Amino acid sequence: MGPRGFFKIYQDLLVRRPYFVQAVQTGVLMAAGDVISQSAVEKTPLTSIDVARTLRFSSIGFFVVGPVMRFWYGILAKHIGRTGKTVALKKVFFDQVFFAPCILCVILIAIAVLKGKNVEAVKEELKLNYLDVLITSYTIWPFVQIFNFYFVPLHYQVLLVQTVALFWNTYLSWKTQRKRMLEKIKKLE
Protein backbone atom coordinates (compact mmCIF):
# COMPACT_ATOMS: atom_id res chain seq x y z
CA MET A 1 0.00 0.00 0.00
CA GLY A 2 1.35 3.38 -0.99
CA PRO A 3 1.08 6.74 0.76
CA ARG A 4 -2.18 7.57 -1.06
CA GLY A 5 -3.80 4.35 0.11
CA PHE A 6 -2.68 4.97 3.69
CA PHE A 7 -3.92 8.56 3.59
CA LYS A 8 -7.29 7.41 2.21
CA ILE A 9 -7.68 4.90 5.05
CA TYR A 10 -6.67 7.61 7.52
CA GLN A 11 -9.25 10.04 6.10
CA ASP A 12 -12.00 7.41 6.18
CA LEU A 13 -11.22 6.52 9.80
CA LEU A 14 -10.99 10.19 10.73
CA VAL A 15 -14.50 10.78 9.41
CA ARG A 16 -15.98 7.65 10.99
CA ARG A 17 -14.07 7.65 14.31
CA PRO A 18 -12.60 11.12 14.88
CA TYR A 19 -12.09 10.80 18.63
CA PHE A 20 -10.44 7.40 18.38
CA VAL A 21 -8.12 8.48 15.55
CA GLN A 22 -7.17 11.68 17.39
CA ALA A 23 -6.51 9.65 20.57
CA VAL A 24 -4.29 7.13 18.77
CA GLN A 25 -2.27 9.72 16.86
CA THR A 26 -1.82 11.84 19.99
CA GLY A 27 -0.74 8.82 22.04
CA VAL A 28 1.73 7.73 19.36
CA LEU A 29 3.20 11.21 18.96
CA MET A 30 3.51 11.69 22.72
CA ALA A 31 5.30 8.34 22.94
CA ALA A 32 7.62 9.43 20.14
CA GLY A 33 8.31 12.72 21.94
CA ASP A 34 9.22 10.86 25.11
CA VAL A 35 11.53 8.45 23.25
CA ILE A 36 13.23 11.42 21.53
CA SER A 37 13.60 13.11 24.92
CA GLN A 38 15.15 10.03 26.49
CA SER A 39 17.44 9.16 23.58
CA ALA A 40 18.43 12.50 22.04
CA VAL A 41 18.14 14.96 24.92
CA GLU A 42 18.86 12.80 27.97
CA LYS A 43 21.36 10.64 26.01
CA THR A 44 19.83 7.33 27.11
CA PRO A 45 20.81 4.46 24.79
CA LEU A 46 17.80 3.07 22.90
CA THR A 47 18.30 -0.27 24.63
CA SER A 48 17.86 1.44 28.02
CA ILE A 49 14.76 3.52 27.26
CA ASP A 50 12.34 3.62 30.20
CA VAL A 51 9.41 1.92 28.45
CA ALA A 52 7.09 2.37 31.43
CA ARG A 53 7.73 6.13 31.35
CA THR A 54 6.99 6.20 27.61
CA LEU A 55 3.76 4.25 28.09
CA ARG A 56 2.67 6.59 30.89
CA PHE A 57 3.35 9.65 28.74
CA SER A 58 1.63 8.06 25.76
CA SER A 59 -1.43 7.10 27.80
CA ILE A 60 -1.97 10.74 28.71
CA GLY A 61 -2.14 11.51 25.00
CA PHE A 62 -4.42 8.59 24.23
CA PHE A 63 -6.88 8.94 27.10
CA VAL A 64 -6.81 12.69 27.76
CA VAL A 65 -5.08 15.05 25.34
CA GLY A 66 -6.25 13.65 21.98
CA PRO A 67 -9.95 13.31 22.85
CA VAL A 68 -10.06 16.58 24.81
CA MET A 69 -8.39 18.52 21.99
CA ARG A 70 -10.82 17.11 19.42
CA PHE A 71 -13.74 18.06 21.67
CA TRP A 72 -12.30 21.55 22.28
CA TYR A 73 -11.74 22.24 18.59
CA GLY A 74 -15.32 21.14 17.89
CA ILE A 75 -16.61 23.53 20.57
CA LEU A 76 -14.58 26.39 19.07
CA ALA A 77 -15.87 25.61 15.57
CA LYS A 78 -19.47 25.40 16.77
CA HIS A 79 -19.51 28.56 18.88
CA ILE A 80 -17.00 30.82 17.15
CA GLY A 81 -17.09 29.65 13.54
CA ARG A 82 -14.94 27.78 11.06
CA THR A 83 -13.28 30.25 8.70
CA GLY A 84 -12.00 33.78 8.47
CA LYS A 85 -9.29 35.91 10.02
CA THR A 86 -11.44 37.20 12.87
CA VAL A 87 -12.66 33.70 13.65
CA ALA A 88 -9.08 32.39 13.71
CA LEU A 89 -7.95 35.18 16.06
CA LYS A 90 -10.91 34.61 18.39
CA LYS A 91 -10.15 30.88 18.48
CA VAL A 92 -6.49 31.55 19.29
CA PHE A 93 -7.54 33.92 22.07
CA PHE A 94 -9.89 31.40 23.69
CA ASP A 95 -7.45 28.55 23.11
CA GLN A 96 -4.52 30.33 24.71
CA VAL A 97 -6.36 32.09 27.54
CA PHE A 98 -8.63 29.25 28.65
CA PHE A 99 -7.63 25.90 27.17
CA ALA A 100 -3.82 26.03 27.24
CA PRO A 101 -3.45 26.82 30.96
CA CYS A 102 -6.00 24.12 31.87
CA ILE A 103 -4.69 21.34 29.64
CA LEU A 104 -1.10 22.00 30.70
CA CYS A 105 -2.12 21.74 34.34
CA VAL A 106 -3.99 18.49 33.64
CA ILE A 107 -1.00 17.05 31.76
CA LEU A 108 1.48 17.96 34.50
CA ILE A 109 -0.80 16.52 37.20
CA ALA A 110 -1.33 13.34 35.15
CA ILE A 111 2.43 12.90 34.66
CA ALA A 112 3.07 13.28 38.38
CA VAL A 113 0.20 10.98 39.38
CA LEU A 114 1.28 8.31 36.89
CA LYS A 115 4.78 8.49 38.38
CA GLY A 116 3.18 7.53 41.69
CA LYS A 117 3.48 10.93 43.37
CA ASN A 118 1.28 11.80 46.36
CA VAL A 119 -0.76 15.02 46.57
CA GLU A 120 2.05 17.04 48.15
CA ALA A 121 4.56 15.85 45.54
CA VAL A 122 2.08 16.69 42.75
CA LYS A 123 1.75 20.22 44.14
CA GLU A 124 5.56 20.46 44.26
CA GLU A 125 5.84 19.29 40.63
CA LEU A 126 3.31 21.95 39.61
CA LYS A 127 5.25 24.65 41.47
CA LEU A 128 8.45 23.48 39.84
CA ASN A 129 7.19 23.22 36.25
CA TYR A 130 3.82 24.85 35.56
CA LEU A 131 4.72 28.52 35.10
CA ASP A 132 7.85 27.73 33.12
CA VAL A 133 5.97 25.34 30.81
CA LEU A 134 3.10 27.80 30.34
CA ILE A 135 5.45 30.67 29.45
CA THR A 136 7.32 28.45 27.01
CA SER A 137 4.03 27.37 25.45
CA TYR A 138 3.15 31.01 24.79
CA THR A 139 6.31 31.41 22.70
CA ILE A 140 5.20 28.60 20.35
CA TRP A 141 1.51 27.81 20.34
CA PRO A 142 -0.18 31.14 19.50
CA PHE A 143 1.68 31.21 16.16
CA VAL A 144 0.95 27.56 15.43
CA GLN A 145 -2.71 28.03 16.31
CA ILE A 146 -3.13 31.10 14.10
CA PHE A 147 -1.99 29.01 11.15
CA ASN A 148 -4.00 26.01 12.31
CA PHE A 149 -7.31 27.81 12.81
CA TYR A 150 -7.02 29.91 9.67
CA PHE A 151 -5.77 27.39 7.10
CA VAL A 152 -6.44 23.85 8.37
CA PRO A 153 -9.83 22.08 8.16
CA LEU A 154 -11.27 21.06 11.56
CA HIS A 155 -10.71 17.32 11.14
CA TYR A 156 -6.96 17.87 10.52
CA GLN A 157 -6.36 20.46 13.25
CA VAL A 158 -5.42 17.99 15.99
CA LEU A 159 -3.06 16.23 13.56
CA LEU A 160 -1.26 19.49 12.76
CA VAL A 161 -1.01 20.43 16.41
CA GLN A 162 0.22 16.97 17.37
CA THR A 163 2.82 17.00 14.60
CA VAL A 164 4.23 20.26 15.96
CA ALA A 165 3.74 18.82 19.43
CA LEU A 166 6.23 16.07 18.66
CA PHE A 167 8.88 18.67 19.51
CA TRP A 168 6.74 20.12 22.29
CA ASN A 169 6.27 16.64 23.79
CA THR A 170 10.02 16.12 23.71
CA TYR A 171 10.44 19.33 25.70
CA LEU A 172 7.57 18.48 28.07
CA SER A 173 8.93 14.99 28.73
CA TRP A 174 12.40 16.37 29.41
CA LYS A 175 11.05 19.18 31.59
CA THR A 176 8.94 16.87 33.76
CA GLN A 177 11.81 14.41 34.21
CA ARG A 178 14.54 16.99 34.85
CA LYS A 179 14.29 16.87 38.64
CA ARG A 180 14.58 13.07 38.52
CA MET A 181 17.64 13.32 36.27
CA LEU A 182 19.32 15.79 38.63
CA GLU A 183 18.69 13.44 41.55
CA LYS A 184 20.32 10.57 39.60
CA ILE A 185 23.36 12.73 38.85
CA LYS A 186 23.72 13.64 42.56
CA LYS A 187 23.62 9.95 43.50
CA LEU A 188 26.44 9.24 41.05
CA GLU A 189 28.68 11.95 42.51
Side-chain angles (χ1 to χ4, degrees):
M1 174 186 310
R4 283 187 184 192
F6 178 76
F7 189 67
K8 174 74 171 123
I9 291 170
Y10 172 78
Q11 285 181 309
D12 291 344
L13 282 172
L14 193 56
V15 169
R16 286 186 292 150
R17 300 229 187 230
Y19 285 92
F20 178 73
V21 171
Q22 306 294 358
V24 169
Q25 74 190 19
T26 304
V28 167
L29 289 167
M30 286 187 75
D34 183 68
V35 169
I36 292 168
S37 176
Q38 289 187 60
S39 61
V41 179
E42 300 165 34
K43 307 294 187 212
T44 303
L46 286 175
T47 55
S48 299
I49 293 291
D50 183 346
V51 175
R53 170 182 150 181
T54 300
L55 290 174
R56 286 191 304 268
F57 201 66
S58 176
S59 70
I60 295 167
F62 182 80
F63 291 108
V64 179
V65 179
V68 168
M69 284 179 64
R70 176 61 183 91
F71 177 76
W72 174 245
Y73 290 172
I75 293 291
L76 289 176
K78 180 179 179 182
H79 294 288
I80 296 176
R82 292 187 180 261
T83 61
K85 290 177 187 175
T86 304
V87 167
L89 291 174
K90 285 179 184 178
K91 284 181 175 182
V92 170
F93 173 79
F94 283 103
D95 186 67
Q96 295 302 299
V97 171
F98 298 107
F99 184 73
C102 293
I103 195 69
L104 286 175
C105 186
V106 167
I107 291 168
L108 293 175
I109 289 170
I111 290 169
V113 167
L114 291 175
K115 286 194 287 187
K117 304 282 183 173
N118 63 28
V119 173
E120 289 305 314
V122 170
K123 288 178 185 176
E124 198 59 39
E125 292 268 337
L126 282 174
K127 281 185 207 172
L128 179 68
N129 292 318
Y130 181 74
L131 190 58
D132 204 26
V133 169
L134 183 63
I135 290 168
T136 303
S137 82
Y138 285 144
T139 65
I140 300 165
W141 290 111
F143 306 105
V144 171
Q145 292 295 48
I146 287 171
F147 178 84
N148 195 30
F149 292 137
Y150 188 67
F151 293 107
V152 180
L154 176 62
H155 56 282
Y156 294 120
Q157 288 177 355
V158 174
L159 176 61
L160 174 78
V161 165
Q162 287 305 317
T163 302
V164 173
L166 179 60
F167 303 101
W168 174 252
N169 294 334
T170 300
Y171 161 76
L172 200 55
S173 177
W174 167 80
K175 181 73 173 163
T176 58
Q177 297 298 321
R178 190 177 53 150
K179 183 178 176 186
R180 191 172 128 221
M181 291 184 314
L182 292 173
E183 288 168 356
K184 280 184 180 179
I185 290 169
K186 285 181 185 177
K187 286 181 184 177
L188 295 173
E189 293 175 345

